[in-house]
Amino acid sequence: MRLGRVATRDGVAFAAVEGQQGNEIAREIAEHPFGTPTFTGRQWPLADVRVLAPILATKVICVGKNYAAHAAEMGGPAPADPVIFLKPNTAIVGPEVPIVRPPSSQQVDYEGELAIVIGRPCRDVSAADARGAILGYTVANDVTARDQQKIDGQWTRAKSYDTFCPLGPWIDTDFDPSDVQIRTELTGADGQTAVKQESRTSLMLHSVGEIVEWVSRVMTLLPGDVILTGTPEGVGPMVAGDRVSVTVEGLGTLTNPVVDK
């Protein structure tokens, strides 16, 4: 099932997205998408609604340097254990919402990633049992003010600006994340598109199950919490006028324009 949030003329609703591309409908979910969703009976053609970030997380946990080639391009060794940090939930935006470059940063980078969405309260989950704690998966862009990350020596400011966590277009509850392509494309103001990142989730140093186990040993995870699983090599800057698209094979494409504040 594909779960998301949509804005209609009547307000904002959780919905299940059904049908083939180009002919999809959004069926309104009553209350929330956790457990077994119930439906109100209302539905809309997907083309007639605005697709929002599929979840507004209590917290966003990110894994750094989870691809060996990315760790190398950042100038360090691959970590033996997952390196985790937090983004505020105020950084979350949905598809087609502009990523806003703050005037205090001269280099704002894209980082395409697979994201885990937690489905139930949990703590101390084993890697083998992690699937039972997961609602599904979505696409993420861990936007980073790279110059500030280097200056500060820690990552909070560089990762936390409003709009620095695009998510979407929806959560897929049946998705198998073990070995799929992840690709980031950047389209400039001249209309030329270049592939900037291209890798596979099978190259992650720490698997989805291992990540959930590691994080849940540190903190309680709540329904709707999002875990970004790390970015492959090829990170780089975005400028105003660009459009950045992150695609996870079989899951969807998340596209956002880039503007200056």
Side-chain angles (χ1 to χ4, degrees):
M1 183 180 293
R2 292 181 295 173
L3 304 171
R5 289 171 63 247
V6 297
T8 73
R9 285 176 291 183
D10 300 320
V12 174
F14 285 108
V17 178
E18 301 176 352
Q20 300 300 313
Q21 185 173 4
N23 194 33
E24 294 148 313
I25 61 168
R27 295 178 61 207
E28 186 179 39
I29 293 173
E31 298 181 352
H32 59 73
F34 305 105
T36 302
T38 58
F39 296 92
T40 66
R42 296 201 302 173
Q43 63 184 43
W44 309 270
L46 191 65
D48 292 350
V49 301
R50 183 159 61 94
V51 178
L52 307 175
I55 202 75
L56 293 178
T58 300
K59 54 185 174 290
V60 181
I61 308 103
C62 309
V63 181
K65 299 182 179 180
N66 198 29
Y67 291 78
H70 173 59
E73 76 176 350
M74 291 290 100
D81 294 316
V83 175
I84 60 174
F85 59 94
L86 296 173
K87 277 182 179 280
N89 57 9
T90 48
I92 295 174
V93 292
E96 296 296 339
V97 176
I99 296 167
V100 180
R101 290 168 22 106
S104 58
S105 175
Q106 301 305 307
Q107 183 178 344
V108 175
D109 285 6
Y110 52 81
E111 293 190 12
E113 308 199 12
L114 170 73
I116 304 163
V117 182
I118 297 299
R120 62 173 178 83
C122 59
R123 183 173 171 84
D124 295 323
V125 179
S126 70
D129 293 334
R131 186 64 190 92
I134 295 171
L135 174 65
Y137 303 86
T138 191
V139 185
N141 189 346
D142 176 19
V143 180
T144 305
R146 191 70 66 199
D147 50 351
Q148 294 179 3
Q149 184 183 29
K150 294 176 181 177
I151 290 168
D152 292 354
Q154 52 85 23
W155 302 354
T156 302
R157 178 170 66 130
K159 301 282 190 175
S160 296
Y161 287 95
D162 290 357
T163 76
F164 271 27
C165 189
L167 294 176
W170 37 63
I171 300 162
D172 192 323
T173 63
D174 301 316
F175 183 71
D176 180 357
S178 57
D179 182 26
V180 293
Q181 184 189 71
I182 181 168
R183 183 176 73 252
T184 303
E185 297 179 336
L186 197 67
T187 302
D190 60 0
Q192 298 297 309
T193 299
V195 176
K196 297 296 187 179
Q197 295 181 283
E198 192 166 16
S199 187
R200 300 193 70 82
T201 55
S202 55
L203 296 176
M204 290 195 300
L205 298 172
H206 309 288
S207 69
V208 165
E210 291 166 342
I211 290 168
V212 172
E213 179 177 78
W214 181 266
V215 174
S216 69
R217 286 178 178 175
V218 177
M219 65 189 78
T220 298
L221 296 172
L222 300 174
D225 281 352
V226 174
I227 305 176
L228 276 56
T229 60
T231 195
E233 73 277 13
V235 300
M238 304 175 289
V239 298
D242 287 346
R243 288 176 61 83
V244 60
S245 296
V246 182
T247 300
V248 176
E249 178 187 3
L251 188 53
T253 297
L254 169 67
T255 299
N256 298 87
V258 182
V259 301
D260 286 333
K261 186 172 183 179

